[in-house]
Amino acid sequence: MASSAQQTHPETSVVLLSLLASTGLALYLFAIFGIRQAALFLTGIGLGVSLLHAAFGFSSVWRNFIHRRESAGIRAQLALFMLTSILFFPIFGHIFPQLSVTPAIGPVGISVLTGAFLFGIGMELGNGCGSGTLWTVGGGHVNMLVVLVFFIIGSVIGTAHLQWWLDLPSYGKISLIDSFGWLPALLLQLLLLLALYWLVRFLEQRRHGRIKPVRQARLERSFVNRLVFGPWPLSWGVAGLLLFSLLTLLIAGHPWSITFAYGLWGAKIWNALGGDIATLSYWSSGYPARALNSSVLADVTSIMNFGIILGAVLAAALAGSFAPAKKLNMGLILSAAAGGLLLGYGARLAFGCNIGGLYSGIVSGSVHGWLWLVAGFCGTIAGVYLRSLVGLDRTLVKKS
Amino acid sequence: MNHKQSKLVIGSALGLAALAAAIDHTRHPLPDPELQQYEQAGSYSEDEAPCGLDMPCGLGNPCSLDDEAAPCGLD
C-alpha cells in the first residue's frame, strides 16, 4: 500500500508514449463509436491511475489480514463498498427515472460459491486479482503477464463449462433492492458492512494494540505533486475509485466489470488460430455472440480494461516505478500460471471477479455479491496455506 | 530480469496486444451510424436492442442462455 513521501524520477519517454497512445485511442474511439465509448476509455484511464497510485489491491490486502491482522486495506475496501452503495442504491431504486441503468445481479448458487472459492485460491497463487492483474501489468510487472495470459485461458475454459455449473442447484437472482426497497436495503447493507468494518478493526486492535489509519497524515510534498506523481494514501484511492465507478455506471449504464473481456479476448484469439469457439453455447447467443462478432473496440469492458492498463502505465511512469526489476524462476512462473487459470475459471463461474462479482455485485444489492465475499475469502485462506506449502512467500514480491 | 529487460518485455507485450486489437478491429464492419445515433440518444427500446453491446445483462434482460441463469457479460 501507499508509502510515505519519497523523491520520484518520472520516466519521461514512457509518460509521453502512454499519453500519445491514450490520446490517439480516445480520439479514434470518439470518431468511430462516439463520445460514449471515448468517455468510458478515459474513465478506465482514471481507474488505472487510481489503482496504481494507491496500490489498491485485494490479494495482498486479504493475505496481510489473514497473516498479520493488518486491516487498513480491508477497511478501505469496506469504506468504498459503503460509499458506493450510498450512491448506487437510490439510482438502482429508480429515484432518477431518466437514468437507464442495469444492476449487476447474479444467481445465488453452487456456480458462484465454487467460482469465488477458486478465484480466492487463484488470487494468492497468482498474487493478483481481476483489477490487480491489469494495473500490475500496466505497471510493468513481468510476472503478471504470465498471470494475465493464463487468466484469459482460464476464462475461455470457464465459458466452455459454465452451462454445466449453471445446471447445479441455485436460488436464482436475489436483489436486496427488489426485496426490501432501496432505502431499507441500503440501511441493511450499511449495517452489515459497518459490522465487518468494526470486526476487522477490532481484530487488528487486539493483535497489535493500535489501528493503522486508512487516511495518512499530512506529508511534506504538495497536494498536486502527490496527486500527479503518487503514491496516494488509501483514502485517495477510495475517492478515485468511487468517482470513476459512478462515471462508469452513468456512462455505460451498468457497474464496472473486468473479466468478461478476458474471455472475449481469448475467444477471439482462439478463433483467429482456427478454432471454432462459436459452437460453444455461451458464445452462440445473446451479448457474448454479438461481442464475438464485433470489433474488440466496441466492447465496453475491453476498452475500459485498455484504459486501466494505459492509466497504470502512465501512473507508474510518473512515479518512476515502471517495469521494476524482477527475479523470475520456474516456481514463480508455474504458480503464476496456476493462479491465472484459477482466476479466469473462477471468475467465469462466479459471474465476475473481485470487481464485477464482489464489488459491483454488492453495490448493486445482489446477494450473489455477498456469497462471493464469503466464498472468495475462504478461498483466499486456502490460497494462503497453499502459498506456504509451496514456499511462495519466499519468492513472490509483495504486490497487489 | 533487470529494469531494461522488464521494460522491453512489457513494451513488446503491449505492442503485440495493440496489433492484435487493430487486426481484430479491421476484421469487423464499422458500427452502423444509425445505431450509434440511437445509442447516443439513449433511445433504445427493449425491442430494438434487448441486449446491445453496451447493456450486457441484468434483471429481466434477455441476454442469457435461459431465463433462470444468465451467463451474461457483466463481470
Side-chain angles (χ1 to χ4, degrees):
Chain A
M1 290 288 159
S3 62
S4 59
Q6 62 195 33
Q7 282 290 339
T8 58
H9 303 283
E11 289 210 42
T12 315
S13 59
V14 181
V15 170
L16 290 175
L17 266 176
S18 58
L19 282 176
L20 197 68
S22 302
T23 311
L25 186 51
L27 289 174
Y28 186 74
L29 289 170
F30 176 67
I32 302 296
F33 297 96
I35 186 76
R36 184 170 174 276
Q37 208 76 347
L40 284 167
F41 170 67
L42 294 174
T43 302
I45 289 180
L47 286 166
V49 171
S50 305
L51 286 165
L52 190 130
H53 269 344
F56 203 97
F58 282 72
S59 60
S60 68
V61 161
W62 287 17
R63 185 166 66 245
N64 285 342
F65 179 74
I66 291 163
H67 263 320
R68 296 189 282 273
R69 295 290 184 272
E70 289 174 359
S71 71
I74 290 190
R75 278 182 284 124
Q77 290 166 8
L78 291 169
L80 176 65
F81 287 14
M82 283 188 264
L83 293 169
T84 313
S85 299
I86 290 169
L87 291 179
F88 281 22
F89 270 47
I91 296 174
F92 290 133
H94 303 296
I95 70 160
F96 307 109
Q98 67 276 25
L99 288 179
S100 174
V101 292
T102 309
I105 311 282
V108 181
I110 300 287
S111 176
V112 171
L113 187 75
T114 311
F117 185 81
L118 294 177
F119 191 93
I121 297 174
M123 277 208 301
E124 295 312 320
L125 292 181
N127 210 33
C129 52
S131 50
T133 301
L134 281 181
W135 71 256
T136 48
V137 164
H141 296 259
V142 174
N143 57 316
M144 297 311 287
L145 271 180
V146 181
V147 177
L148 181 59
V149 167
F150 282 90
F151 205 141
I152 290 170
I153 294 170
S155 297
V156 177
I157 298 172
T159 65
H161 296 170
L162 183 62
Q163 190 56 60
W164 184 84
W165 286 99
L166 290 177
D167 289 338
L168 296 176
S170 164
Y171 289 106
K173 297 170 179 176
I174 305 172
S175 160
L176 293 177
I177 296 173
D178 285 355
S179 301
F180 303 114
W182 74 265
L183 187 57
L186 175 61
L187 294 175
L188 173 67
Q189 174 132 314
L190 290 180
L191 200 68
L192 287 170
L193 290 169
L194 267 176
L196 280 178
Y197 188 97
W198 285 106
L199 175 67
V200 295
R201 197 176 180 278
F202 166 76
L203 291 173
E204 180 176 347
Q205 173 79 47
R206 199 175 65 171
R207 169 76 66 94
H208 300 285
R210 54 103 184 110
I211 302 291
K212 193 176 169 190
V214 172
R215 204 175 142 217
Q216 288 191 336
R218 182 182 290 270
L219 295 165
E220 290 156 14
R221 289 161 55 207
S222 72
F223 170 81
V224 174
N225 184 292
R226 194 134 194 238
L227 188 69
V228 174
F229 298 105
W232 293 1
L234 281 170
S235 54
W236 291 16
V238 169
L241 295 180
L242 180 65
L243 170 69
F244 293 112
S245 294
L246 179 64
L247 283 177
T248 302
L249 179 68
L250 296 178
I251 301 169
H254 59 76
W256 179 19
S257 58
I258 289 177
T259 53
F260 171 74
Y262 294 166
L264 179 63
W265 301 346
K268 280 176 176 287
I269 293 168
W270 183 249
N271 267 356
L273 293 175
D276 191 9
I277 200 92
T279 53
L280 293 177
S281 57
Y282 178 87
W283 295 106
S284 64
S285 63
Y287 177 72
R290 294 181 61 150
L292 191 60
N293 293 312
S294 304
S295 161
V296 71
L297 299 180
D299 176 54
V300 167
T301 315
S302 294
I303 54 142
M304 286 192 67
N305 286 356
F306 295 154
I308 292 171
I309 292 174
L310 276 172
V313 171
L314 175 64
L318 285 166
S321 63
F322 181 72
K326 280 276 177 201
K327 249 188 187 173
L328 286 181
N329 57 42
M330 194 46 74
L332 188 68
I333 291 170
L334 285 177
S335 67
L341 277 177
L342 288 170
L343 286 165
Y345 194 80
R348 188 59 276 164
L349 265 53
F351 281 72
C353 61
N354 55 302
I355 297 299
L358 174 64
Y359 174 52
S360 293
I362 285 181
V363 301
S364 292
S366 177
V367 174
H368 95 285
W370 284 97
L371 179 62
W372 200 115
L373 176 63
V374 174
F377 195 78
C378 290
T380 303
I381 294 172
V384 167
Y385 273 101
L386 265 178
R387 282 175 64 93
S388 305
L389 276 180
V390 297
L392 264 183
D393 278 326
R394 289 197 303 272
T395 55
L396 278 179
V397 177
K398 197 178 94 176
K399 181 56 61 181
S400 175
Chain B
M1 195 170 276
N2 65 31
H3 170 62
K4 272 190 181 167
Q5 288 169 325
S6 288
K7 217 163 131 175
L8 189 69
V9 171
I10 290 289
S12 305
L14 293 182
L16 200 64
L19 187 67
I23 291 171
D24 176 73
H25 182 60
T26 56
R27 289 175 65 177
H28 297 287
L30 290 176
D32 181 354
E34 247 180 66
L35 201 66
Q36 259 186 275
Q37 256 187 347
Y38 274 120
E39 190 182 315
Q40 281 171 19
S43 60
Y44 276 137
S45 73
E46 283 282 308
D47 292 336
E48 284 169 327
C51 46
L53 286 177
D54 322 298
M55 295 284 285
C57 70
L59 274 179
N61 194 328
C63 302
S64 57
L65 292 177
D66 59 63
D67 289 339
E68 287 303 309
C72 60
L74 200 60
D75 53 328

